[in-house]
Amino acid sequence: MLQNEESGIEEIIKEDIWGSIEEFLGWGFHYGEGEKSIHITIGLLLLLFATMLLTGFVLKWLRRFFTRKMETEDKLKFISIFKFIKYVVYVVVILLTMSAAGINVTVILTASAALFVGLGLALQELFQDIIGGIFIIIDKSLRVGDIVEVNGKVGKVFEIKLRTTRAITRDDKVIIIPNHHFISDIIYNYTQNHKSTREKVSVGVAYGSDVELVTRLLLETVQEQKGVLKNPKSFVLFEDFGDSALLFSVNFFISDSFSDPRTKSEIRYRIDTKFRANNVSIPFPQRDVHIIQQQSNKDNA
């Protein structure tokens, strides 16, 4: 008796309840027969919707996982990357759903191949910039406030985006640097390891000058200059015997290398004043010209 009741319940669940669910899920658009038939059903659409929700959840979790140790500003930069990945995944899911529905997606992919190749070539540099931006954010090879030299231009970084980095030059002009330059080119970062940089001013003095006096005057000049650090200490190098002068350089350390042209200009003014006061001359380039006169054969005769 109990067995008959249990079997009856199973038949009711299988035939009535589950059968109704299968019938509901199978309801939709059906076209054609055999291998070329197309079936777009409620069940397929629900599966597509559930897959998209799951994909969005997984990508959101991955974004949180990879950006958990980043600053808030850097986290926001990755939102656009994951949005792009999400759209690509959605396109793949839609293509798989179309394939499951019986639609031949090979024809669509083949027809779009040339378009995809063209887009890939056109966006190649864009992808390089984005990858460069990701590397910059992850390994902290560049920070806001760093002073960099790119193609002979010196600028202070004030904004780092996922595709470009912006810096302001010494003449208050904004330079926009594509991020792929930071992974493919040689970039000078003046403040990567520390805030201070070593600078120098070169000068030539006349032969016969008192080199000890010259050394003392150069050191006094930089020690009196505002902005020059007391430690590390400044020093003078006797660089070479030039064609027309004895070549010296005074080396000093500053904490604001962005404004070093102004500092160097003030030091040169001071050097000129001190040299004049101490009768140290700065020679101009000189050349000796020897004129050799040759008499003609007629005169010799």
mmCIF file of all heavy atoms in Angstrom, residues 188-208:
data_model
loop_
_atom_site.group_PDB
_atom_site.id
_atom_site.type_symbol
_atom_site.label_atom_id
_atom_site.label_comp_id
_atom_site.label_asym_id
_atom_site.label_seq_id
_atom_site.Cartn_x
_atom_site.Cartn_y
_atom_site.Cartn_z
ATOM 1 N N TYR A 188 63.955 58.860 -17.987
ATOM 2 C CA TYR A 188 64.708 59.290 -16.815
ATOM 3 C C TYR A 188 63.726 59.751 -15.739
ATOM 4 O O TYR A 188 62.940 60.676 -15.964
ATOM 5 C CB TYR A 188 65.665 60.432 -17.168
ATOM 6 C CG TYR A 188 66.821 60.004 -18.031
ATOM 7 C CD1 TYR A 188 66.788 60.161 -19.407
ATOM 8 C CD2 TYR A 188 67.962 59.433 -17.468
ATOM 9 C CE1 TYR A 188 67.852 59.770 -20.206
ATOM 10 C CE2 TYR A 188 69.033 59.040 -18.255
ATOM 11 C CZ TYR A 188 68.961 59.208 -19.622
ATOM 12 O OH TYR A 188 70.013 58.809 -20.406
ATOM 13 N N ASN A 189 63.797 59.103 -14.572
ATOM 14 C CA ASN A 189 62.991 59.503 -13.429
ATOM 15 C C ASN A 189 63.938 60.100 -12.389
ATOM 16 O O ASN A 189 64.721 59.391 -11.773
ATOM 17 C CB ASN A 189 62.240 58.304 -12.852
ATOM 18 C CG ASN A 189 61.188 58.710 -11.838
ATOM 19 O OD1 ASN A 189 61.356 59.671 -11.106
ATOM 20 N ND2 ASN A 189 60.092 57.970 -11.789
ATOM 21 N N TYR A 190 63.870 61.408 -12.206
ATOM 22 C CA TYR A 190 64.812 62.093 -11.327
ATOM 23 C C TYR A 190 64.584 61.770 -9.851
ATOM 24 O O TYR A 190 65.498 61.908 -9.037
ATOM 25 C CB TYR A 190 64.707 63.606 -11.510
ATOM 26 C CG TYR A 190 65.185 64.118 -12.857
ATOM 27 C CD1 TYR A 190 65.677 63.252 -13.826
ATOM 28 C CD2 TYR A 190 65.142 65.472 -13.163
ATOM 29 C CE1 TYR A 190 66.105 63.717 -15.046
ATOM 30 C CE2 TYR A 190 65.575 65.950 -14.384
ATOM 31 C CZ TYR A 190 66.054 65.067 -15.327
ATOM 32 O OH TYR A 190 66.486 65.533 -16.543
ATOM 33 N N THR A 191 63.370 61.382 -9.502
ATOM 34 C CA THR A 191 63.026 61.225 -8.085
ATOM 35 C C THR A 191 62.517 59.830 -7.765
ATOM 36 O O THR A 191 61.742 59.658 -6.819
ATOM 37 C CB THR A 191 61.970 62.260 -7.695
ATOM 38 O OG1 THR A 191 60.865 62.184 -8.608
ATOM 39 C CG2 THR A 191 62.529 63.659 -7.733
ATOM 40 N N GLN A 192 62.926 58.831 -8.507
ATOM 41 C CA GLN A 192 62.434 57.472 -8.273
ATOM 42 C C GLN A 192 62.960 56.914 -6.951
ATOM 43 O O GLN A 192 62.219 56.339 -6.165
ATOM 44 C CB GLN A 192 62.855 56.562 -9.420
ATOM 45 C CG GLN A 192 62.460 55.100 -9.250
ATOM 46 C CD GLN A 192 60.959 54.902 -9.284
ATOM 47 O OE1 GLN A 192 60.300 55.421 -10.147
ATOM 48 N NE2 GLN A 192 60.426 54.169 -8.327
ATOM 49 N N ASN A 193 64.253 57.051 -6.710
ATOM 50 C CA ASN A 193 64.851 56.458 -5.516
ATOM 51 C C ASN A 193 64.835 57.400 -4.317
ATOM 52 O O ASN A 193 64.769 56.957 -3.170
ATOM 53 C CB ASN A 193 66.301 56.046 -5.807
ATOM 54 C CG ASN A 193 66.376 54.940 -6.840
ATOM 55 O OD1 ASN A 193 65.493 54.096 -6.910
ATOM 56 N ND2 ASN A 193 67.410 54.958 -7.664
ATOM 57 N N HIS A 194 64.946 58.691 -4.536
ATOM 58 C CA HIS A 194 64.961 59.652 -3.438
ATOM 59 C C HIS A 194 64.535 61.010 -3.986
ATOM 60 O O HIS A 194 64.390 61.198 -5.190
ATOM 61 C CB HIS A 194 66.342 59.735 -2.789
ATOM 62 C CG HIS A 194 67.464 59.679 -3.782
ATOM 63 N ND1 HIS A 194 67.724 60.697 -4.660
ATOM 64 C CD2 HIS A 194 68.361 58.705 -4.055
ATOM 65 C CE1 HIS A 194 68.742 60.384 -5.426
ATOM 66 N NE2 HIS A 194 69.160 59.172 -5.090
ATOM 67 N N LYS A 195 64.354 61.950 -3.088
ATOM 68 C CA LYS A 195 63.852 63.266 -3.480
ATOM 69 C C LYS A 195 64.963 64.206 -3.948
ATOM 70 O O LYS A 195 64.713 65.149 -4.683
ATOM 71 C CB LYS A 195 63.108 63.908 -2.307
ATOM 72 C CG LYS A 195 61.823 63.186 -1.921
ATOM 73 C CD LYS A 195 60.831 63.195 -3.068
ATOM 74 C CE LYS A 195 59.538 62.504 -2.691
ATOM 75 N NZ LYS A 195 58.583 62.463 -3.829
ATOM 76 N N SER A 196 66.196 63.996 -3.505
ATOM 77 C CA SER A 196 67.288 64.888 -3.867
ATOM 78 C C SER A 196 68.017 64.391 -5.111
ATOM 79 O O SER A 196 68.097 63.188 -5.360
ATOM 80 C CB SER A 196 68.283 65.012 -2.709
ATOM 81 O OG SER A 196 68.883 63.761 -2.442
ATOM 82 N N THR A 197 68.563 65.329 -5.869
ATOM 83 C CA THR A 197 69.338 64.988 -7.064
ATOM 84 C C THR A 197 70.632 65.794 -7.058
ATOM 85 O O THR A 197 70.710 66.889 -6.477
ATOM 86 C CB THR A 197 68.562 65.294 -8.352
ATOM 87 O OG1 THR A 197 68.198 66.683 -8.367
ATOM 88 C CG2 THR A 197 67.314 64.440 -8.444
ATOM 89 N N ARG A 198 71.652 65.250 -7.731
ATOM 90 C CA ARG A 198 72.926 65.962 -7.824
ATOM 91 C C ARG A 198 72.974 66.728 -9.137
ATOM 92 O O ARG A 198 72.742 66.174 -10.204
ATOM 93 C CB ARG A 198 74.095 64.970 -7.752
ATOM 94 C CG ARG A 198 75.433 65.656 -7.533
ATOM 95 C CD ARG A 198 76.571 64.658 -7.510
ATOM 96 N NE ARG A 198 76.996 64.304 -8.855
ATOM 97 C CZ ARG A 198 77.992 63.452 -9.123
ATOM 98 N NH1 ARG A 198 78.632 62.852 -8.131
ATOM 99 N NH2 ARG A 198 78.321 63.183 -10.367
ATOM 100 N N GLU A 199 73.301 67.985 -9.036
ATOM 101 C CA GLU A 199 73.419 68.852 -10.201
ATOM 102 C C GLU A 199 74.825 69.432 -10.238
ATOM 103 O O GLU A 199 75.577 69.341 -9.254
ATOM 104 C CB GLU A 199 72.384 69.978 -10.141
ATOM 105 C CG GLU A 199 70.962 69.508 -9.919
ATOM 106 C CD GLU A 199 70.398 68.723 -11.085
ATOM 107 O OE1 GLU A 199 70.953 68.856 -12.207
ATOM 108 O OE2 GLU A 199 69.428 67.988 -10.898
ATOM 109 N N LYS A 200 75.191 70.045 -11.345
ATOM 110 C CA LYS A 200 76.519 70.664 -11.430
ATOM 111 C C LYS A 200 76.483 71.865 -12.355
ATOM 112 O O LYS A 200 75.646 71.976 -13.257
ATOM 113 C CB LYS A 200 77.554 69.656 -11.902
ATOM 114 C CG LYS A 200 77.495 69.323 -13.384
ATOM 115 C CD LYS A 200 78.694 68.448 -13.774
ATOM 116 C CE LYS A 200 78.681 68.166 -15.282
ATOM 117 N NZ LYS A 200 79.857 67.383 -15.711
ATOM 118 N N VAL A 201 77.433 72.781 -12.097
ATOM 119 C CA VAL A 201 77.656 73.947 -12.947
ATOM 120 C C VAL A 201 79.119 73.926 -13.356
ATOM 121 O O VAL A 201 80.012 73.842 -12.493
ATOM 122 C CB VAL A 201 77.315 75.256 -12.212
ATOM 123 C CG1 VAL A 201 77.749 76.458 -13.040
ATOM 124 C CG2 VAL A 201 75.823 75.328 -11.914
ATOM 125 N N SER A 202 79.377 73.998 -14.640
ATOM 126 C CA SER A 202 80.746 73.947 -15.156
ATOM 127 C C SER A 202 81.235 75.349 -15.500
ATOM 128 O O SER A 202 80.452 76.216 -15.917
ATOM 129 C CB SER A 202 80.817 73.050 -16.397
ATOM 130 O OG SER A 202 80.424 71.729 -16.087
ATOM 131 N N VAL A 203 82.548 75.552 -15.333
ATOM 132 C CA VAL A 203 83.138 76.847 -15.639
ATOM 133 C C VAL A 203 84.606 76.631 -16.003
ATOM 134 O O VAL A 203 85.245 75.686 -15.522
ATOM 135 C CB VAL A 203 83.015 77.816 -14.433
ATOM 136 C CG1 VAL A 203 83.791 77.313 -13.241
ATOM 137 C CG2 VAL A 203 83.447 79.232 -14.810
ATOM 138 N N GLY A 204 85.128 77.510 -16.845
ATOM 139 C CA GLY A 204 86.542 77.462 -17.222
ATOM 140 C C GLY A 204 87.267 78.709 -16.743
ATOM 141 O O GLY A 204 86.702 79.816 -16.778
ATOM 142 N N VAL A 205 88.488 78.559 -16.280
ATOM 143 C CA VAL A 205 89.300 79.709 -15.845
ATOM 144 C C VAL A 205 90.583 79.733 -16.663
ATOM 145 O O VAL A 205 91.000 78.725 -17.236
ATOM 146 C CB VAL A 205 89.617 79.626 -14.333
ATOM 147 C CG1 VAL A 205 88.338 79.670 -13.524
ATOM 148 C CG2 VAL A 205 90.442 78.393 -14.003
ATOM 149 N N ALA A 206 91.207 80.880 -16.681
ATOM 150 C CA ALA A 206 92.402 81.065 -17.514
ATOM 151 C C ALA A 206 93.569 80.247 -16.974
ATOM 152 O O ALA A 206 93.681 80.003 -15.769
ATOM 153 C CB ALA A 206 92.774 82.542 -17.573
ATOM 154 N N TYR A 207 94.416 79.821 -17.873
ATOM 155 C CA TYR A 207 95.655 79.145 -17.472
ATOM 156 C C TYR A 207 96.479 80.086 -16.597
ATOM 157 O O TYR A 207 96.592 81.282 -16.869
ATOM 158 C CB TYR A 207 96.457 78.722 -18.701
ATOM 159 C CG TYR A 207 96.035 77.388 -19.265
ATOM 160 C CD1 TYR A 207 95.049 77.300 -20.237
ATOM 161 C CD2 TYR A 207 96.614 76.207 -18.803
ATOM 162 C CE1 TYR A 207 94.663 76.071 -20.751
ATOM 163 C CE2 TYR A 207 96.236 74.974 -19.311
ATOM 164 C CZ TYR A 207 95.267 74.910 -20.279
ATOM 165 O OH TYR A 207 94.883 73.688 -20.783
ATOM 166 N N GLY A 208 97.065 79.555 -15.530
ATOM 167 C CA GLY A 208 97.831 80.357 -14.596
ATOM 168 C C GLY A 208 97.028 80.801 -13.400
ATOM 169 O O GLY A 208 97.577 81.412 -12.473
#
